[in-house]
Amino acid sequence: MSPKHYALTMLCLLHGAWGCAGNPHVRTRRLNNDLLQVDGPLAGPFKTLEELASNACELMTSEPGASNGKYGFEYCALYYYSQDEDRFFLSYLSDIRSNLDARIKSCEIPRELNDPNREDAVILGGAHTHPHNGKFAPKDLNAASIWHPTRITSKGGGRVFDRTMMMFIKETTGEKPGECRAYSYNNYTRTVSALRSGEWIPIGQVYNDDGDLRMFEGKGWLP
């Protein structure tokens, strides 16, 4: 076991009842190629990506610690598409950190999927929760975060998708406590969108490799 793998494993175990072994929704492992693999599906099938995002937001932000503000931590998952079923699915979760600094909220996005019942599954992107920051962080939007290839075709050639990262946060204060908000970052167009009234609404554009975001006129993180 590599030093990095050992450290991440120990940190995962230190989460206690909230950690990898104690949460039935967490099913992740590190492969020999050092990538994380998650099982699937935890949720689905969904007819649309909007339906998936809305449900995934509620599910993932309701996990233990996911909405505990500065004392919380992040969960990660994959979402994917089956051409045979023409449906979308959410994988089980990972809570393995990408940064061992406890002051930094982080979660390493899995890159491999284990769903034996859907050999045609195509991974469309990752999803993660924020415990308190209601915006994408620059590290989520910078060039290093982009998952290549950024445009993919379903197995069988039926549909073309832009690979997209989703982020979820549940409001605990403000005018709408308990509201779950979903955002997406399209790795192909580098556009950030917010899920509002069941539709993805573009709110900004990443304009450099550092992940700096320029908001569209009249748009913001909140409606």
Side-chain angles (χ1 to χ4, degrees), residues 16 31 34 43 52 55 59 62 67 73-74 76 78 86 102 114 118 144 147 149 170 184 201 207 218:
L31 303 177
D34 207 35
L52 180 146
N55 283 273
L59 188 157
S62 297
S67 300
F73 52 89
E74 297 185 3
C76 291
L78 296 175
D86 190 25
N114 174 43
R118 293 172 184 84
W147 190 338
K170 180 165 288 186
S184 67
I201 305 299
Y207 61 88

Side-chain angles (χ1 to χ4, degrees), residues 148-197:
H148 296 281
T150 57
R151 177 160 281 189
I152 48 180
T153 304
S154 63
K155 294 180 180 178
R159 297 182 64 173
V160 177
F161 298 95
D162 294 348
R163 187 162 267 143
T164 301
M165 168 67 71
M166 295 185 187
M167 184 270 286
F168 308 128
I169 181 170
K170 180 165 288 186
E171 285 293 327
T172 56
T173 59
E175 296 182 358
K176 296 182 178 180
E179 179 183 51
C180 202
R181 294 193 276 118
Y183 299 93
S184 67
Y185 173 44
N186 187 309
N187 287 187
Y188 181 74
T189 64
R190 305 203 73 183
T191 301
V192 171
S193 299
L195 186 65
R196 293 173 181 165
S197 301

Side-chain angles (χ1 to χ4, degrees), residues 10-213:
M10 292 304 296
L11 183 61
C12 180
L13 293 175
L14 287 174
H15 283 166
W18 291 355
C20 304
N23 185 336
H25 290 171
V26 174
R27 294 189 187 179
T28 184
R29 65 196 63 83
R30 192 170 295 279
L31 303 177
N32 291 335
N33 60 8
D34 207 35
L35 297 179
L36 291 181
Q37 181 189 67
V38 283
D39 293 338
L42 172 62
F46 302 108
K47 293 182 179 180
T48 66
L49 284 172
E50 290 83 359
E51 182 184 1
L52 180 146
S54 178
N55 283 273
C57 187
E58 294 290 350
L59 188 157
M60 292 180 67
T61 60
S62 297
E63 293 296 316
S67 300
N68 279 26
K70 63 181 181 178
Y71 301 106
F73 52 89
E74 297 185 3
Y75 290 88
C76 291
L78 296 175
Y79 68 97
Y80 54 103
Y81 174 74
S82 166
Q83 175 70 38
D84 289 346
E85 299 173 64
D86 190 25
R87 291 293 186 272
F88 301 91
F89 299 86
L90 179 75
S91 77
Y92 280 86
L93 311 180
S94 171
D95 59 2
I96 296 179
R97 300 170 63 98
S98 58
N99 190 315
L100 296 180
D101 187 339
R103 298 169 297 179
I104 300 174
K105 308 303 180 186
S106 66
C107 184
E108 181 178 349
I109 297 293
R111 294 299 180 107
E112 301 286 347
L113 173 70
N114 174 43
D115 185 346
N117 293 324
R118 293 172 184 84
E119 296 183 358
D120 69 324
V122 174
I123 299 172
L124 303 183
H128 69 292
T129 60
H130 277 187
H132 61 89
N133 181 15
K135 305 176 182 179
F136 275 115
K139 67 181 178 63
D140 295 324
L141 305 177
N142 65 24
S145 72
I146 293 176
W147 190 338
H148 296 281
T150 57
R151 177 160 281 189
I152 48 180
T153 304
S154 63
K155 294 180 180 178
R159 297 182 64 173
V160 177
F161 298 95
D162 294 348
R163 187 162 267 143
T164 301
M165 168 67 71
M166 295 185 187
M167 184 270 286
F168 308 128
I169 181 170
K170 180 165 288 186
E171 285 293 327
T172 56
T173 59
E175 296 182 358
K176 296 182 178 180
E179 179 183 51
C180 202
R181 294 193 276 118
Y183 299 93
S184 67
Y185 173 44
N186 187 309
N187 287 187
Y188 181 74
T189 64
R190 305 203 73 183
T191 301
V192 171
S193 299
L195 186 65
R196 293 173 181 165
S197 301
E199 295 185 27
W200 288 114
I201 305 299
I203 61 173
Q205 183 90 35
V206 176
Y207 61 88
N208 61 22
D209 288 346
D210 294 329
D212 292 323
L213 179 67

